[in-house]
Amino acid sequence: MSKKPLKPDYVFESSWEVCNKVGGIYTVLSTRAKTLQEALQDRVIFIGPDFWKKEKVVDGATTLTEESPYFREEKALFAEWQWEAKEQGINVRVGRWTVPGEPIAILVDFTPYFEKKNEIYTWLWEKYEVDSLHAYGDYDEASMFSYAAALVVESFYNWITSPRVPADIPQISNLKSQTSNLKVVYHANEWMCGLSALYINDKLPQIATIFTTHATSIGRSIAGNQKPLYDYLFAYNGDQMAGELNMQSKHSIEKQTAHHVDCFTTVSDITAHECLELLDKPVDVVLPNGFDNSFVPKAATFNKKRKAARQRMLQVANALLGEDLGDDTLIVSTSGRYEFRNKGIDVFVEAMNRLLRDRELNKKVLAFIVVPGWVGEPRKDLQERLNSNQPTANSPLEVPQVTHWLHNMGHDNVLNMMKFYDMHNRHEDKVKVIFLPCYLDGNDGILNLTYYDVVLGNDLCIYPSYYEPWGYTPLEAVAFKVPCITTDLAGFGLWANQEFGHQGEISDGVKVIHRTDYNYSEVADIIKDTVADYSNLSQQQVDACRKNAEALSKKALWKEFIKYYWEAYDIALQRAEERMAKKQLPNK
């Protein structure tokens, strides 16, 4: 490989979560976008699924369903290519992802490719031995999007390298003289985009490919099925476990993509080890997840928003519980996807139950579980009480543990565990636990705060993860000056320990608990003791914790972590150049 680092002229990056806010990968891409946009100036192009704007006929009239709140269409952007893509049968909309930096985004309709599904899967098997026979759930949908994303890249690449493209297009003009030798990277995120990386690897070998697994599908499945992951990782065979857990197809596309791309990456050292053991492939670069703190409120606005958030959280809690909790209440929370064991929701409830029975606790604790469940509707009785502004002391509502009714009240893990432990938020209880089972977009019908406002209102956040490749929730917390508890089974926790040079303590802003396959009870006790100790800190000590939390978050800004992406781009481009050079060698 040449010693001079190669930089891309274009980066295409695809993910199911481009302009589609469903999980942590949305945060990764949307917060990184500004940093890449500043460097590449409209030559980083994100590709996502288009399932928002659909036509439907009502009473003979054609109308459009809801538009994505994260996408703004610009029909004049690459208008000639849009027309050309349409002629090729590729249905796209081009515009801007409405996040800081406002990068170009292409949303593609993947539904037309379902009728070619068997043909696509046959090619995938014959070329790369990807097993799609055992597919179920979201596999087909993700694969058809992935295929569509590859067609978008192929079409766009052929267009920009065509001599007939106008030279006055801003995103192209400065590269027009070198279009025959463009350095182009295609970056696929998660198994859902693996098919597109393999397609480009085969059809467009001049494009360098990168694949990032944010968590191995089989590792997540092993952990989620109550099997010990870490002590036995060396002994697990990924292919065998995929068969046992009915994960063959997702594991297969993930493994084959990892083995065939130019640069294979993941987000933390802990997941890199997992990739080596379960996918039989070492990663080329670890790409830690950074953060963009441009939306963290400044100075007086910060204090005003924090005060308003706390006031609203206490107001909702008091209406639900029939209490009169004041501002001296310690507000704590956990949040994330509803993976009961993997995200440590179970150990959080366990810790709150033990804290509830701790006679040394000198302050009331209000604990929120902010995890989207199978929500039915906001509670009408709670809405009426909130709107009435009448005193509610000593008159709790029925089921005072949940803010929204669920479709599966009798089978919900959080509510069942609280019921098992007889946690009914009684008046005499010093610890009250409330389940907020909805996405917090500011319009949930009860709290009506965004997720970041809720984080801002906390005194302490708790994320005792068992399986957490990186861990955005603790990083988001410290960015909002909220100290947190996490574990060293989270990539962020491991990184924090490395930054501190020791096991993180709450005085550092992040308490990092050592977690194993078997020390669940010990972790619950440490959380209980840490919360109790934190409740007894002086204001000066709390301020120091908050200051240290913020200081750590600044070490995880994208401006600090983007260098790893340039390293990945260089590795991929160098290998693509080697490949093309070999193709051009004369046969001996």
Side-chain angles (χ1 to χ4, degrees):
M1 291 187 181
S2 66
K3 293 181 180 179
K4 183 182 178 182
L6 298 179
K7 289 196 172 184
D9 298 311
Y10 275 91
V11 173
F12 294 92
E13 183 162 5
S14 71
S15 168
W16 185 256
E17 299 189 33
V18 167
C19 301
N20 180 32
K21 196 171 186 177
V22 294
I25 297 173
Y26 179 93
T27 309
V28 180
L29 273 61
S30 64
T31 58
R32 173 164 42 82
K34 181 183 176 185
T35 306
L36 282 182
Q37 174 74 329
E38 288 171 352
L40 292 168
Q41 298 177 351
D42 274 356
R43 288 178 287 108
V44 55
I45 297 175
F46 291 93
I47 305 170
D50 189 9
F51 44 60
W52 288 86
K53 195 172 184 180
K54 303 293 182 185
E55 291 184 352
K56 65 178 180 179
V57 178
V58 180
D59 297 329
T62 301
T63 59
L64 295 173
T65 57
E66 182 186 4
E67 172 61 290
S68 167
Y70 314 110
F71 175 75
R72 184 181 71 250
E73 188 171 6
E74 294 184 8
K75 293 185 178 180
L77 194 55
F78 303 133
E80 184 180 312
W81 172 73
Q82 290 193 55
W83 177 84
E84 196 167 296
K86 189 174 183 179
E87 289 291 298
Q88 295 165 353
I90 306 170
N91 300 321
V92 296
R93 290 192 298 136
V94 181
R96 301 282 176 177
W97 192 353
T98 55
V99 294
E102 296 211 331
I104 294 173
I106 299 174
L107 302 187
V108 59
D109 179 9
F110 55 88
T111 55
Y113 304 105
F114 278 101
E115 62 185 36
K116 294 179 60 179
K117 182 182 72 172
N118 292 338
E119 179 185 331
I120 294 167
Y121 288 163
T122 299
W123 172 83
L124 203 53
W125 169 254
E126 291 175 347
K127 189 71 185 181
Y128 294 103
E129 296 187 357
V130 172
D131 172 13
S132 301
L133 283 175
H134 299 87
Y136 65 92
D138 56 353
Y139 185 88
D140 287 345
E141 190 176 44
S143 296
M144 293 310 100
F145 159 64
S146 190
Y147 180 75
L151 296 184
V152 167
V153 175
E154 182 179 42
S155 173
F156 195 94
Y157 178 83
N158 289 336
W159 178 68
I160 58 172
T161 54
S162 167
R164 67 181 183 278
V165 176
D168 59 351
I169 297 176
Q171 294 83 3
I172 294 174
S173 57
N174 60 333
L175 300 172
K176 192 62 184 167
S177 62
Q178 60 184 69
T179 51
S180 61
N181 192 33
L182 281 181
K183 295 178 178 64
V184 180
V185 168
Y186 176 68
H187 188 170
N189 287 277
E190 287 285 77
W191 68 265
M192 291 92 107
C193 293
L195 194 160
S196 56
L198 295 178
Y199 181 97
I200 289 168
N201 175 264
D202 181 54
K203 307 291 186 185
L204 297 160
Q206 65 272 40
I207 293 182
T209 52
I210 298 175
F211 175 53
T212 299
T213 180
H214 295 258
T216 69
S217 58
I218 192 61
R220 187 190 296 278
S221 185
I222 290 169
N225 278 279
Q226 311 299 314
K227 294 178 180 294
L229 176 63
Y230 302 99
D231 284 358
Y232 293 93
L233 192 55
F234 73 96
Y236 282 128
N237 177 287
D239 298 344
Q240 178 185 336
M241 292 307 297
E244 181 179 327
L245 298 172
N246 197 22
M247 293 288 291
Q248 296 99 319
S249 293
K250 291 180 181 180
H251 171 69
S252 182
I253 185 69
E254 186 173 55
K255 182 175 179 179
Q256 295 307 320
T257 306
H259 281 260
H260 285 92
V261 292
D262 295 309
C263 183
F264 175 44
T265 71
T266 192
V267 297
S268 67
D269 291 338
I270 196 167
T271 315
H273 182 52
E274 189 183 317
C275 290
L276 178 61
E277 296 292 343
L278 298 177
L279 300 180
D280 302 323
K281 178 71 168 68
V283 301
D284 295 295
V285 189
V286 170
L287 305 176
N289 290 334
F291 197 66
D292 172 29
N293 66 352
S294 61
F295 48 81
V296 176
K298 303 294 187 288
T301 305
F302 182 97
N303 295 329
K304 184 178 179 181
K305 285 181 73 75
R306 173 169 162 78
K307 184 177 180 181
R310 288 181 62 79
Q311 188 175 14
R312 181 60 180 173
M313 292 162 79
L314 289 167
Q315 182 185 14
V316 168
N318 286 332
L320 179 66
L321 303 168
E323 292 286 344
D324 188 21
L325 299 173
D327 196 48
D328 60 339
T329 303
L330 188 76
I331 301 179
V332 305
S333 75
T334 192
S335 58
R337 275 191 305 205
Y338 204 157
E339 295 179 20
F340 195 60
R341 183 194 187 210
N342 286 354
K343 298 296 183 185
I345 303 166
D346 54 352
V347 79
F348 177 85
V349 176
E350 179 77 45
M352 293 304 103
N353 178 54
R354 295 184 185 187
L355 188 65
L356 174 62
R357 301 168 206 296
D358 188 340
R359 294 180 182 177
E360 302 299 315
L361 187 63
N362 297 318
K363 187 178 278 190
K364 290 184 178 179
V365 175
L366 175 59
F368 285 98
I369 299 172
V370 186
V371 176
W374 191 13
V375 179
E377 60 179 1
R379 293 183 59 157
K380 296 288 192 295
D381 54 352
L382 182 51
Q383 286 177 324
E384 289 171 4
R385 184 170 277 192
L386 286 167
N387 292 334
S388 70
N389 293 318
Q390 296 296 316
T392 59
N394 301 317
S395 57
L397 294 176
E398 183 183 0
V399 196
Q401 298 98 329
V402 65
T403 58
H404 295 65
W405 296 126
L406 301 172
H407 288 295
N408 57 340
M409 294 288 289
H411 297 88
D412 180 80
N413 284 331
V414 168
L415 295 180
N416 281 344
M417 188 169 182
M418 290 176 67
K419 183 177 180 181
F420 177 80
Y421 280 135
D422 195 28
M423 298 169 70
H424 291 287
N425 290 338
R426 298 178 178 87
H427 179 70
E428 62 272 18
D429 294 340
K430 284 188 176 179
V431 179
K432 307 289 198 303
V433 181
I434 296 175
F435 186 21
L436 249 171
C438 57
Y439 280 103
L440 295 178
D441 58 2
N443 299 295
D444 61 86
I446 298 293
L447 202 60
N448 295 329
L449 294 174
T450 66
Y451 174 72
Y452 285 143
D453 284 338
V454 171
V455 171
L456 189 58
N458 275 268
D459 295 302
L460 187 66
C461 288
I462 303 167
Y463 311 105
S465 302
Y466 173 75
Y467 183 81
E468 187 71 81
W470 175 248
Y472 252 118
T473 44
L475 177 50
E476 290 166 333
V478 295
F480 282 91
K481 306 181 188 179
V482 180
C484 70
I485 301 170
T486 186
T487 74
D488 57 7
L489 291 184
F492 174 79
L494 277 181
W495 172 81
N497 281 345
Q498 291 167 3
E499 290 297 315
F500 296 143
H502 58 262
Q503 193 87 4
E505 294 295 339
I506 202 65
S507 57
D508 297 310
V510 178
K511 167 83 173 178
V512 184
I513 302 173
H514 177 56
R515 188 161 187 196
T516 70
D517 289 317
Y518 303 109
N519 69 340
Y520 170 97
S521 185
E522 180 186 349
V523 172
D525 267 340
I526 294 172
I527 293 170
K528 179 203 72 160
D529 292 340
T530 304
V531 174
D533 291 346
Y534 193 82
S535 72
N536 292 321
L537 295 182
S538 67
Q539 189 58 52
Q540 186 178 9
Q541 290 171 314
V542 168
D543 290 343
C545 289
R546 290 174 63 84
K547 185 176 180 181
N548 289 338
E550 182 188 24
L552 179 67
S553 75
K554 289 183 176 177
K555 294 181 180 179
L557 294 176
W558 277 118
K559 67 178 182 180
E560 305 293 337
F561 284 168
I562 201 67
K563 61 186 177 186
Y564 301 109
Y565 280 79
W566 294 116
E567 182 183 350
Y569 297 152
D570 174 49
I571 290 171
L573 288 166
Q574 298 277 11
R575 288 177 178 164
E577 283 201 352
E578 281 187 350
R579 177 170 59 249
M580 296 309 292
K582 287 178 182 177
K583 281 179 175 285
Q584 293 165 10
L585 288 175
N587 292 326
K588 292 184 178 180

